[in-house]
Amino acid sequence: MQQQIKDGLIFHDEDNPHEKIIFNFYTWVRIVEASIVKYAHKTLQEAQQLVAESGVCQYPVKSALSAAMISHDYEYHWAMFLAYGNHYWERGISSDLPDNYYDWVEQYCLEQGLAPSSFIFYNDELDHEDWTIPDLN
């Protein structure tokens, strides 16, 4: 069962209630799809199918730990993993981020009206201002 794909999913760390992760899931999905199109040379339809059939989209992200595990790799790595499979770098696909990748992602997010980041990590003990959910629309 595919979970709802939207931005602004908030997860509280079970071990530290002061720590929160905002997972901008919709933004993450769109960046992964666009990375598959740009760097794996798949069609948008192929990219959308690869992402939709992935475990990340099929099984709900229910905890801060799950969100943190997804954030462990850049969207580029997720894209190459979905397009080429596990250990894709052993098949000659570079695991290095492409030149200007950050600039491309930033521009893509601006052009598509996406959140500026797939993940926001927050610790209310360290951040001394009032915490509110960023406007993602």
Side-chain angles (χ1 to χ4, degrees):
M1 178 179 170
Q2 189 169 359
Q3 65 179 318
Q4 185 177 12
I5 298 173
K6 64 181 186 175
D7 281 349
L9 302 175
I10 300 173
F11 300 99
H12 301 269
D13 188 316
E14 294 175 12
D15 296 326
N16 184 345
H18 298 287
E19 293 183 356
K20 301 168 186 72
I21 298 174
I22 300 173
F23 181 20
N24 291 319
F25 192 27
Y26 179 80
T27 294
W28 182 88
V29 164
R30 296 300 166 243
I31 294 170
V32 171
E33 290 172 349
S35 296
I36 291 171
V37 170
K38 182 172 179 67
Y39 300 108
H41 311 291
K42 305 283 186 187
T43 67
L44 180 57
Q45 184 177 5
E46 290 171 318
Q48 290 171 331
Q49 183 174 356
L50 287 168
V51 174
E53 293 174 354
S54 72
V56 175
C57 290
Q58 291 295 315
Y59 303 102
V61 178
K62 295 182 178 181
S63 68
L65 179 59
S66 295
M69 290 179 69
I70 295 167
S71 76
H72 179 70
D73 287 308
Y74 292 104
E75 290 90 341
Y76 171 80
H77 295 293
W78 280 100
M80 297 303 100
F81 169 74
L82 295 175
Y84 297 112
N86 201 16
H87 297 278
Y88 64 86
W89 55 89
E90 293 176 353
R91 291 186 280 288
I93 309 300
S94 178
S95 63
D96 295 334
L97 291 178
D99 291 339
N100 301 318
Y101 181 74
Y102 297 113
D103 294 334
W104 172 78
V105 168
E106 181 180 1
Q107 186 63 36
Y108 180 78
C109 288
L110 283 171
E111 289 172 359
Q112 300 299 313
L114 301 172
S117 178
S118 295
F119 297 92
I120 300 169
F121 298 89
Y122 180 80
N123 183 319
D124 61 12
E125 290 181 313
L126 302 176
D127 299 320
H128 298 288
E129 55 198 49
D130 290 335
W131 185 74
T132 58
I133 299 172
D135 181 15
L136 301 173
N137 297 321

